[in-house]
Amino acid sequence: MNQQLRSQAIPFIDISAQRQRIGKAIDEAVSRVLNHCQFINGPEVTQLEAELAAFSGARHVVTCASGTDALLMVLMAKGVGRGDAVLCPSFTFCATGEAVALAGATPVFVDVDETTFNIDPASLTRGIATAKRLGLKPKAVIPVDLFGQSADHDSVTAIADAEGLFVLDDAAQGFGASFKGRRLGTFGLATATSFFPAKPLGCFGDGGAIFTDDAGLADTLRSIRVHGQSGDKYDNVRLGLTARLDTMQAAILIEKLRVFEDEIAARNAVAERYASGLGNAVTVPRLAAGCSSVWAQYTIRLPKGTDRDGFAAALKAQGIPTSIYYTKSMHQQTAYRDFPVADGDLPVSERLSNDVISLPMHAYLDEAAQDRIIAAVRGAVSA
Ligand SMILES: Cc1ncc(COP(=O)(O)O)c(C=O)c1O
């Protein structure tokens, strides 16, 4: 390999590579919106919602301004608030628990499974008992399909049903993945996703969506996303938000959805190649039975005793960026450390925060770049 190739920087996520493929179609779609001028609730919003429903299998899709709003809106629609507990994993992006606290309820953090990084059913059961002991009323559980892999929805649903909780799936990273052959968007009462640009299906700004089979809930969500409006524009019947998805972002997402299946397959090919090249050097992510992933992140665990900062620096010196999701689990962060954690504590979340690191992952990562990354990782762990 010549020096120039060796030092060329590899992007962590390459949005510009996708633009080369569908940039013209996106430019035309944006230009259509600029010409019809229906920037709010334009026809593309309705079209996108119908296409997302067809893609996921959910009956109703309500788009909104972000993944955080998507979570919050469902909690608001269900009247979750003060005195209620919502169980969620601690090893996740902060928005999962943040939405609960914004709704006025108490997030109760539970641990995750060591191999899938997703919610641990045994810890969930303990967390429900913890919430009750603290005098809180457990209302909901938010499993997260972390790094793109579907959570164990059978176990979560069984526990939620037995305890009378509703399930709000946080598929901000996992939309497009499936569990036992069913796409995310069809589990629990509702599913929230994010279209943040770095997500597997991302727009060119902020955006999100909620998926549900419950027609009444979908109506309430449509009201909440516009200040709690009713049929009469000047009679607001509940508290709401300004939480619409812009028409321009909807137009962009329609074009991106056309290539999404293909991109998911490409991400899976990268993940398979990483696994065969790295499986005997580091702990590579594994898919649990019945689960698929859209590989929002490719997150490895370093061998015990590896200096993670040194590892990242060694890769950076070779033009290979890395990222750590998450250096702190939610219960370890300043804003959240006073919220309860499930009995038995969260040792797995804490361990993962110490030893995970994510490698470049996107649908346009070519084999030469993958080989460079594999060689660099192997070199850095054996150094
Ligand atoms: C697991 C998870 N939940 C929720 C969100 C929030 O999405 P947004 O950034 O669109 O508000 C994210 C975004 O990073 C996420 O990763």
Side-chain angles (χ1 to χ4, degrees), residues 65-71 92-98 144-147 170-174 192-196 199 205-208 326:
S66 70
T68 308
D69 280 347
L71 292 165
T92 178
F93 181 66
C94 67
T96 312
E98 182 186 38
V144 178
D145 308 291
L146 199 74
F147 303 149
D170 182 347
Q173 301 181 11
T193 199
S194 164
F195 300 129
F196 183 77
K199 297 290 188 248
D206 280 308
Y326 299 93

Side-chain angles (χ1 to χ4, degrees), residues 87 123-135 138 163 343:
L87 290 294
S123 180
L124 171 58
T125 302
R126 287 196 296 275
I128 294 168
T130 310
K132 289 180 185 166
R133 187 169 42 73
L134 293 172
E163 295 283 347
D343 289 341

